[in-house]
Each structure stands twice: as structure tokens, then as C-alpha cells.
Amino acid sequence: MMRYVSTRGTAPDLGFGDTLLAGLAPDGGLYVPQEWPKLSLAELVATVGAHPTYAEVAVAIMWPFVEGTIDRADFERIVVETYATFDHPDVVPLTPLGERTWLLELFHGPTLAFKDVALQLVGRLFDHELDRRGERVTIVGATSGDTGSAAIEACKDRELIDIVILHPHGRTSEVQRRQMTTVDAANVHNVAVEGTFDDCQDLIKAMFGDATFRERVHLSAVNSINWARVMAQIVYYWWAGLRLDRVGLPTAFSVPTGNFGNVFAGHGARRMGLDVSQFIVASNRNDILTRFFDTGEMRITDVHPTLSPSMDIQVSSNFERLAYELFSARGETIADLFTQFRETGVLTVDPYRLGALRETWDGCRIDDDRTREVIAEVHERCGEILDPHTAVGVGAAMACRRSATVPMVCLATAHPAKFPDAVEAAIGVRPELPPKLAGLYERPERYTVLPNDLTTVQEFVRARTRVAP
Ligand SMILES: *Cc1c(COP(=O)(O)O)cnc(C)c1O
């Protein structure tokens, strides 16, 4: 049975169920598998055949991570249910984008962004694990617009979960707000906080910091450091290798990156045995990762708003998982390194380790002007419309690709209709919402406006949660 250890080395190791519900480790670290299960593409093909469904591949890849904590039949049912919420038969189709380049479209889920691939599974796994334990939770989160809807869609109508999402009142786009507020489910509660996104995040932190309150409502989160989200994302790297028939051959990936969860999942696939010759970590103007791969120094600076808001980050929290490997699984070193990073805003990796990383990793920055150009170029050349996040990844692939013969898979992380203004500015055409979201502007909205005040928000959460007193 797989055990999970904290990157900071002092928290006790856990099984999958505990890791799922815990999120962050009590020592401040992130959970990683003690050992990576081993697999080759040839073995995968032998297990699932040459033309499996996405769900079949997903079960084969994830089973070693969950085995012993969930019934095989239950797990299969949950995975099938999860990917039935996607409206493409391939779930994450590969679309050719010119010479030896493909788009891996991760945006066919309920909210049109790649977060659905993991969150749709995690919501169901939470419900299953809570049911086994006879427990329930209240999930809280803050969103600037993009991630809230994926969490809400993942948790709506789950028996044992109540979810409360805070967004800054009047500061999200209308599509983003409506994707959250038109969800008609009794366990979903939207709060428009009279304040900024930072105020929302501070309220969430304060709620978690209040031990009495936290216990009383069984507070929980499904943020991007949750191991199960990384696990679900490992699957589509294998899927791409399988679909491109890369048995015994390498593949390269370009990944639009914010919190480093998506690209770390690619690294996980490689640790398992997938042959990956290059990872391109694509960033917008918020280029802390590009500067890191260039210099070995990770230095926090101000965040600038860009056309690709889900990548507007200061710190990529999942990077700690890669650092753990870079420092040979020495938890004490990681604890020192990241405590210091928090205090000083600087983290440095020596030239030797940086050199080892750079054998297969590249950081690449694409600014807003270039992002618009890439959207226009690709539209003109092959008729595909890219969202600005995807365009950052495609632009980075054009700039940093190392081999003309190894196929380059660019992860497409959002549907263009999610960012209609940026797309229209680039190509003069407004992308249409897919049919499942038609009617978004007619459906009634449900949300409560609250002041930026902890006691008021806590009272709201307490009154909505179905946790027994
Ligand atoms: C979250 C998100 C990203 C960044 O992914 P990470 O796993 O945080 O690196 C990129 N694009 C879109 C559209 C996203 O929603």
C-alpha cells in the first residue's frame, strides 16, 4: 500500500485517504509518494490495449497510488463517472498544430478549464472517503474568478460536503461570476466580499487559524497542493504518449504554469517511467520560474495582472515537490530552504543541481504582446483559437523547443470562450460559449454580499454548514 511522506520530513507518513483529506502536511510540507510506481508505455499498452478509453488509462495509472484504500470496483465507477462529465469522447483530445506539434485540450470539463480534470475526481473521492469514515466537511476557498467555479462544480450535490467560495464583489468577470453563482445546488454558497481577492484570502487563512471554528465546521480545502490533484493530472501525460504512439520514444511538453501543479504532474509521469525529453515551464510576465531556471535563484517580486490571470503568481507552491527530489528527499533541508524563502523571499539552488535540472527543464517567458501575436499567428496558420494561457505555452514551445523531431505537446488549459476579451483583441473574433454554457446569462444567480469582516463571514459559514453541532 502506497505511503505518502511530507517534503519537510517531520510529519508522519500517511495512506492515500488521509493524504487526500489532509491537503497540507502538519509540518507545513506537501505530501509526495514515498516511492513512485514503475511503468513503461509498452506495459501500459499491454494492460489497457492500444485503444483504451481515457477512464481505462486513468484507472491503470492511478490504481497503484490508491490501492488498498478503496475498492477497485468503487474506484473504477468513480473514475468513469468523473470523466463522463467531459463533453468530448476522448476527454482530453489531441489536436495537431503544425509540424510535430500538438495541443492537448484539457478544457472539455464543466467549467472549461483544466482544473476540472483533477477536481471532478477529487470531489468524488472526498465524498467516498468521508462516507467510509462517517464524516462530513465544509470546504472553503477564495477565488479571483477562475478556480472557484471548478471547485463548486466538483462539490455540488456531494452528500457530505458543503462548499463556501468567497470572491471579491464586483471584481470578477461576469462569465466567471455567473459560472459560480448560477450553480443550482443546496450545498453551494457564494459570498461576494466587499474587498479585494487578498481580503478574501486573508479571511480564509483567518478561518483556518481559528482552531475552535475549524473543528466546529470541519473546515477543509481542495487547493492546488492536494496530492490527489497532482495524481489525477499525471494521467494525461501518459495518455498523450499513448495516443502519439511513443512506445520506446520520447515526448516533449510545454506547460502554462502558475502553481507548478500541472507541470509537476508531468514530472511524476516521468518518474513513473514515461519518456519525456523536455519540460518547458511557460510563464507570462510574472516570471519567477523563468528567472529561476536561468539563474538558480528564485526571488519573489510584485505580481502584475496579465492576459493570463491564472498564471499571475508570486510563489509556485508545488515547486517544493520538485525541490524535494532535487535535494535527494532530505526533509530537513527542504524545511530550512522554504522557511528561509518565506522569510527572505529568496531561494537559491547551487549550480550543480541547477545544471542537472536544466538537462531537461527550460523556463520561458511570454509577455502579453507576444501572447496576442501567438493567438493571431496560430489562428491564421491553422484556424485554432487559443486562450491566452494556452498561447503562453504555445509561444514558449516555439521559442524554447530543443528538438524538431521529438513531438511537442502543448497543454491547452482553458477554452478560449473563458477569456473572450483577450481573444477578440488578438483576432477580432469573439469566441462563442460552447452549448453547455449557453443560457449562462439567463440563469438566476445566487450569492450573498458580506462585509470584509471575519465574524460576519464565520457566522455565515456556520449557519450554512450541515455538520452536526
Ligand atoms: C490553474 C491554471 C494554470 C496554472 O496551472 P498550475 O497547475 O497552477 O501551474 C494555467 N492555466 C489555466 C487556465 C489555469 O486555470
Side-chain angles (χ1 to χ4, degrees):
M1 193 164 106
M2 179 72 71
R3 303 296 294 175
Y4 295 88
V5 296
S6 165
T7 49
R8 305 220 179 157
T10 43
D13 59 316
L14 303 177
F16 176 76
D18 290 322
T19 305
L20 172 74
L21 297 185
L24 197 69
D27 60 4
L30 278 60
Y31 288 106
V32 287
Q34 198 160 39
E35 257 177 74
W36 292 92
K38 290 289 179 255
L39 188 70
S40 70
L41 211 44
E43 285 164 340
L44 181 64
V45 173
T47 311
V48 296
H51 303 284
T53 62
Y54 186 80
E56 285 164 350
V57 173
V59 169
I61 297 298
M62 292 190 286
W63 180 247
F65 292 109
V66 302
E67 188 174 5
T69 62
I70 180 170
D71 228 48
R72 173 87 184 195
D74 285 343
F75 188 61
E76 286 176 1
R77 177 181 48 76
I78 287 171
V79 171
V80 167
E81 240 180 68
T82 296
Y83 295 111
T85 65
F86 283 61
D87 60 8
H88 193 286
D90 275 358
V91 179
V92 295
L94 277 161
T95 306
L97 204 69
E99 271 311 289
R100 308 294 290 152
T101 305
W102 279 263
L103 272 187
L104 181 61
E105 297 182 1
L106 305 174
F107 54 71
H108 293 278
T111 74
L112 310 182
F114 97 98
K115 307 270 188 315
D116 291 329
V117 180
L119 280 170
Q120 284 294 318
L121 179 71
V122 169
R124 286 171 172 80
L125 288 176
F126 251 70
D127 226 23
H128 183 272
E129 182 64 17
L130 291 168
D131 182 44
R132 209 179 60 77
R133 296 171 183 228
E135 292 174 12
R136 44 183 327 134
V137 291
T138 305
I139 287 178
V140 293
T143 185
S144 52
D146 215 35
T147 55
S149 57
I152 286 172
E153 281 292 339
C155 295
K156 75 173 182 192
D157 296 326
R158 303 266 147 253
E159 278 300 313
L160 304 173
I161 301 174
D162 296 298
I163 179 164
V164 181
I165 295 292
L166 313 184
H167 69 265
H169 188 35
R171 291 172 197 247
T172 58
S173 79
E174 188 173 3
V175 178
Q176 289 174 334
R177 188 190 70 237
R178 285 182 169 274
Q179 277 193 299
M180 298 191 281
T181 59
T182 60
V183 172
D184 183 21
N187 71 331
V188 169
H189 309 284
N190 282 287
V191 176
V193 174
E194 292 174 317
T196 63
F197 171 58
D198 287 339
D199 294 331
C200 296
Q201 275 196 313
D202 289 344
L203 286 166
I204 298 290
K205 271 189 208 142
M207 283 194 265
F208 275 100
D210 178 343
T212 315
F213 179 76
R214 193 175 67 216
E215 295 296 316
R216 185 157 178 202
V217 304
H218 295 186
L219 217 54
S220 185
V222 287
N223 41 31
S224 82
I225 52 93
N226 193 297
W227 161 255
R229 285 181 64 174
V230 174
M231 175 185 79
Q233 292 168 184
I234 290 174
V235 174
Y236 47 72
Y237 289 88
W238 284 98
W239 173 257
L242 189 82
R243 272 312 174 97
L244 295 176
D245 203 9
R246 303 301 291 167
V247 174
L249 298 165
T251 311
F253 292 91
S254 180
V255 187
T257 297
N259 258 322
F260 210 79
N262 200 356
V263 74
F264 182 80
H267 174 75
R270 179 162 64 178
R271 284 299 311 272
M272 291 175 73
L274 186 69
D275 188 351
V276 179
S277 55
Q278 185 187 14
F279 285 115
I280 300 177
V281 178
S283 302
N284 59 30
R285 181 182 168 194
N286 299 292
D287 61 351
I288 183 167
L289 289 164
T290 314
R291 287 182 281 116
F292 169 75
F293 283 107
D294 284 349
T295 65
E297 185 186 84
M298 193 170 284
R299 181 179 286 273
I300 297 178
T301 54
D302 291 341
V303 177
H304 301 282
T306 70
L307 294 177
S308 41
S310 299
M311 296 155 66
D312 293 346
I313 47 100
Q314 230 181 359
V315 176
S316 302
S317 29
N318 277 290
F319 179 79
E320 182 166 336
R321 288 190 160 110
L322 186 66
Y324 178 74
E325 302 210 346
L326 203 55
F327 287 89
S328 316
R330 283 201 301 273
E332 209 177 311
T333 309
I334 294 300
D336 286 348
L337 203 63
F338 282 87
T339 309
Q340 212 186 339
F341 185 40
R342 185 152 286 256
E343 280 163 14
T344 63
V346 184
L347 179 158
T348 312
V349 167
D350 56 85
Y352 173 75
R353 288 191 172 82
L354 181 67
L357 260 189
R358 279 166 46 165
E359 283 176 21
T360 53
W361 292 80
D362 289 291
C364 184
R365 170 185 46 245
I366 299 291
D367 66 15
D368 278 355
D369 287 341
R370 180 65 190 140
T371 303
R372 274 186 288 258
E373 272 173 28
V374 170
I375 296 174
E377 268 175 47
V378 169
H379 182 242
E380 200 177 292
R381 189 156 44 81
C382 38
E384 288 293 324
I385 300 181
L386 307 180
D387 103 284
H389 302 78
T390 305
V392 168
V394 171
M398 292 175 187
C400 299
R401 174 177 202 152
R402 295 187 188 190
S403 161
T405 50
V406 172
M408 173 63 70
V409 175
C410 301
L411 272 53
T413 52
H415 190 289
K418 251 194 128 144
F419 301 92
D421 298 334
V423 173
E424 190 174 16
I427 60 171
V429 178
R430 209 166 169 79
E432 266 181 55
L433 279 177
K436 70 180 161 195
L437 284 190
L440 189 68
Y441 288 92
E442 283 80 56
R443 286 198 279 270
E445 293 188 77
R446 286 192 311 129
Y447 64 95
T448 307
V449 181
L450 293 180
N452 175 20
D453 173 65
L454 180 61
T455 313
T456 311
V457 174
Q458 282 182 320
E459 182 47 36
F460 176 92
V461 173
R462 204 199 48 72
R464 299 306 181 285
T465 181
R466 294 174 292 172
V467 171

